[in-house]
């Protein structure tokens, strides 16, 4: 799935600090065998693409890749990926379950779109809850 990262126009999306061109790098590095690289990738993603719980279009576009990582039992950082998915879902639901508007009265579809993706993956969360890994 990660080989499809380059097929997405990340530069057309933004996060808290500008164009989302760094998101595919973070997503790739979240699966690194090196814990320091993984930690920096998660930190970068949380601070920009999920800044203070915000859900941007790039956050929503990341969801299929995050679910792919979460579905790989041997993936490094899997527990952190599932935690990130839970955070995105919780924030999207809490902030806007339906149509949401920003301060400039523009529609923020990223929240509703993220909620829709999360609902499509409800069974995955049930499976994660039953995972034999106690950290999951």
């Amino acid at each position: 799935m990660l080989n499809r990262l380059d097929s997405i126009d990340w530069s057309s999306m933004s996060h808290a600090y500008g164009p989302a061109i760094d998101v595919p790098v973070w997503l790739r590095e979240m699966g690194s065998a090196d814990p320091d690289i993984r930690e920096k990738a998660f930190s970068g993603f949380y601070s920009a693409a999920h800044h203070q719980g915000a859900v941007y279009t790039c956050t929503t576009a990341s969801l299929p890749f995050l679910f792919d990582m979460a579905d790989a039992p041997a993936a490094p950082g899997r527990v952190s990926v599932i935690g990130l998915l839970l955070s995105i879902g919780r924030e999207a639901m809490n902030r806007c379950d339906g149509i949401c508007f920003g301060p400039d009265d523009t529609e923020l579809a990223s929240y509703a779109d993220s909620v829709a993706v999360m609902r499509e993956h409800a069974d995955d969360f049930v499976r994660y809850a039953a995972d034999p890994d106690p950290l999951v």
Side-chain angles (χ1 to χ4, degrees), residues 14-52:
S14 62
H15 54 50
Y17 302 106
I21 56 174
D22 35 16
V23 171
V25 174
W26 293 327
L27 290 170
R28 281 188 182 94
E29 291 179 350
M30 284 178 189
S32 173
D34 184 324
D36 291 333
I37 291 173
R38 275 197 319 271
E39 182 180 330
K40 287 178 185 172
F42 279 100
S43 177
F45 192 95
Y46 269 103
S47 70
H50 194 41
H51 180 72
Q52 297 180 348

Side-chain angles (χ1 to χ4, degrees), residues 69-114:
M69 287 186 265
D71 288 342
R78 179 175 182 238
V79 170
S80 297
V81 169
I82 293 170
L84 176 56
L85 285 167
L86 289 169
S87 179
I88 293 168
R90 180 179 48 252
E91 292 297 330
M93 286 290 294
N94 287 342
R95 293 182 185 214
C96 258
D97 187 12
I99 297 175
C100 184
F101 294 93
D104 60 354
D105 289 331
T106 57
E107 185 177 342
L108 300 176
S110 55
Y111 288 90
D113 291 347
S114 289

Side-chain angles (χ1 to χ4, degrees), residues 50-73:
H50 194 41
H51 180 72
Q52 297 180 348
V55 177
Y56 301 89
T57 53
C58 67
T59 316
T60 305
S62 300
L63 292 176
F65 303 100
L66 293 170
F67 275 108
D68 191 55
M69 287 186 265
D71 288 342

